[in-house]
Structures are given as C-alpha cells and as structure tokens.
Amino acid sequence: IPTAMASEPGEDFAKFLTEVKLIEKRDSVLTSEQQINRLLRPGSKFFNMNPFDVLQLPLTASPAEIKKQYRKLSFLVHPDKNRDDADRAQTAFDAVVTAAKTLEDKEGRDKVMQVIEGAKELTEQKLKEKRKQAKKEGRDRIEEDSPEKYEQFLRGMTAKLFADMEMKKKHLEQREFEERKRKQEEEEAEDAKRKKEEEWKKTWEDTRTGRVDSWRNFQSGGSKKKKVKGFNTMRPPGLKPEKRQS
C-alpha cells in the first residue's frame, strides 16, 4: 500500500481497499477468451511465474480458495472448451496447473512469498524516490497513489524479480552443464588414452613369441651371409713377357 495513502485517515484508507477489491472483482469475471489472452499477454513468461497473479488470488489465499479458483480457471481455459484456439488454450491451462501446484506445495509457496516481499520492498523504495522528486516539482501525489497504478507497478516489479531469478537460474544451469560437459570430455579422453595403451600392451604381448624366435634365429647365425658357389673362382690369365728376336 502506498505510503502516502497509508498515512491518511481511516476513511480514505478504507476507500483505497475498496478500490483494490473492485479491481480484483473486475478481473475475476473475464471470459474464456479474455483469460487466455491475459495468461498469454506480452511478458507472460515472467508474469506467470507469480502463481497468485496467474490464479488472481490474494497473498492470503487459503488452500480451499486456491482449489476453488483453480477449478474455475482451468475450466475456462481448458483446450476442450476452446477448440477453436486449442494451442493457446493449452498453454494457458498449463500455466494455471503449474500455479496451483506451486501454491499447494509449502516450499514452493514460501519461495514465491520471498520474491513478492522483495518486490514490495523495492516498490516502496522506488515510489519513495518518485514522491521525493514530485515534491521538488511541486506535486503532492504520484500516479502510483492510485490503487490500480500501484497494483500495476507492484506486479511489474514482481515480474522483474521473477525474471532476474529465472535468468540467474538459467545462467547457473548453463555453467553446470558446461562443467559436466568438460568433465565428460576429460573422462572420454582419459578412457580413450587408457584403451590405446591397453591395445598397445596386448599387441606387444601377442607378438612376443615372434620377436623371441626372430632374435634366437639371429643369434644362431641364421642371418649370416652365405657364399655363392662359383663366385670369384675364375682369375684373369697372367701376362707372358715378350721375346725379342736376335
């Protein structure tokens, strides 16, 4: 709730809460087509990470309220009910199912609440800065003092935190994937090296007998050169001295 509104008399504060409830009531009567469009609007990937936003429920919703709202929305966006837009209906239906499961799980709901509380704190910080700037400019109010604008601002901030959280998660998963891939490649290289060494040893052992026999033959003179018969047995005729005639 905006600080400026919270500090005003009880009558104004009650009016503020009434306006918030009217906004929630307006959104609660959307048709099947409107619900599908809402769940698939631009930025829905991150908006739909907030299960309270998906199911259009207050943060204090009880398990019974969650179950009731899930049945209502799942019926409205079910692909069988929207056969002319079955693909988009399926995506919307999946978002509703995921949101309900998240809120039914205590650990999942606690994580969501941590993000929402963080978004509230950031929202108040940002609006405090805007009010300070508005005061310098001679304005007493900012547009977020309107319940609807405040709700939009808070939802946007919540979606941003969910988006940041998702990006960090993806970045961590990518790093872990690359680390696993690196280790796998190292293990495969080591395994290939080991197999190569084993094959070399096996080849060495398999040829051991042949090497020993070859060495023994060499030692026994098997490799000495043999003389060829008839080679160098003929000699050139000797030269006779000439006789001089008297």
Side-chain angles (χ1 to χ4, degrees), residues 202-220:
K202 186 176 184 301
T203 302
W204 178 260
E205 290 298 326
D206 291 345
T207 58
R208 180 183 180 85
T209 302
R211 293 197 313 274
V212 171
D213 291 344
S214 178
W215 175 252
R216 286 175 178 172
N217 290 336
F218 176 78
Q219 290 291 80
S220 64

Side-chain angles (χ1 to χ4, degrees), residues 143-157:
E143 61 176 353
E144 286 79 15
D145 286 335
S146 160
E148 186 169 4
K149 292 295 183 180
Y150 175 81
E151 190 70 17
Q152 289 177 359
F153 192 94
L154 177 58
R155 285 183 178 182
M157 186 62 69

Side-chain angles (χ1 to χ4, degrees), residues 87-104:
D87 291 340
R88 296 178 74 246
Q90 183 65 57
T91 303
F93 179 77
D94 291 342
V96 172
V97 172
T98 300
K101 286 183 177 180
T102 300
L103 293 184
E104 287 174 354

Side-chain angles (χ1 to χ4, degrees), residues 36-61:
I36 291 173
N37 290 336
R38 179 181 71 87
L39 292 168
L40 272 65
R41 66 194 185 279
S44 59
K45 177 180 179 181
F46 300 116
F47 280 110
N48 290 350
M49 292 181 70
N50 181 356
F52 291 102
D53 193 25
V54 172
L55 298 177
Q56 298 177 302
L57 287 171
L59 302 180
T60 56

Side-chain angles (χ1 to χ4, degrees), residues 120-236:
K120 284 183 177 180
E121 291 178 5
L122 285 176
T123 294
E124 291 305 325
Q125 291 177 12
K126 295 291 183 181
L127 296 186
K128 183 178 181 180
E129 294 173 2
K130 288 192 70 173
R131 291 189 183 94
K132 191 174 181 179
Q133 181 62 33
K135 189 175 182 180
K136 289 181 180 179
E137 296 172 357
R139 293 183 287 112
D140 296 331
R141 296 171 64 85
I142 58 176
E143 61 176 353
E144 286 79 15
D145 286 335
S146 160
E148 186 169 4
K149 292 295 183 180
Y150 175 81
E151 190 70 17
Q152 289 177 359
F153 192 94
L154 177 58
R155 285 183 178 182
M157 186 62 69
T158 303
K160 182 180 182 304
L161 288 190
F162 273 117
D164 291 344
M165 184 177 68
E166 182 68 9
M167 290 178 65
K168 288 179 181 178
K169 179 183 175 182
K170 293 293 184 183
H171 180 67
L172 180 60
E173 289 176 350
Q174 181 64 26
R175 287 181 57 185
E176 290 176 347
F177 170 77
E178 291 175 355
E179 182 65 17
R180 288 195 302 270
K181 183 179 179 182
R182 183 186 65 80
K183 288 183 178 179
Q184 183 179 356
E185 290 174 348
E186 289 180 353
E187 290 174 357
E188 289 175 352
E190 192 66 28
D191 188 52
K193 181 181 178 182
R194 183 172 59 255
K195 286 181 178 179
K196 189 174 182 179
E197 290 176 351
E198 290 175 353
E199 289 174 0
W200 185 88
K201 289 179 181 178
K202 186 176 184 301
T203 302
W204 178 260
E205 290 298 326
D206 291 345
T207 58
R208 180 183 180 85
T209 302
R211 293 197 313 274
V212 171
D213 291 344
S214 178
W215 175 252
R216 286 175 178 172
N217 290 336
F218 176 78
Q219 290 291 80
S220 64
S223 62
K224 292 181 178 179
K225 294 181 179 179
K226 295 181 179 179
K227 291 183 178 180
V228 180
K229 291 182 179 181
F231 188 74
N232 288 337
T233 56
M234 296 181 64
R235 295 181 180 181

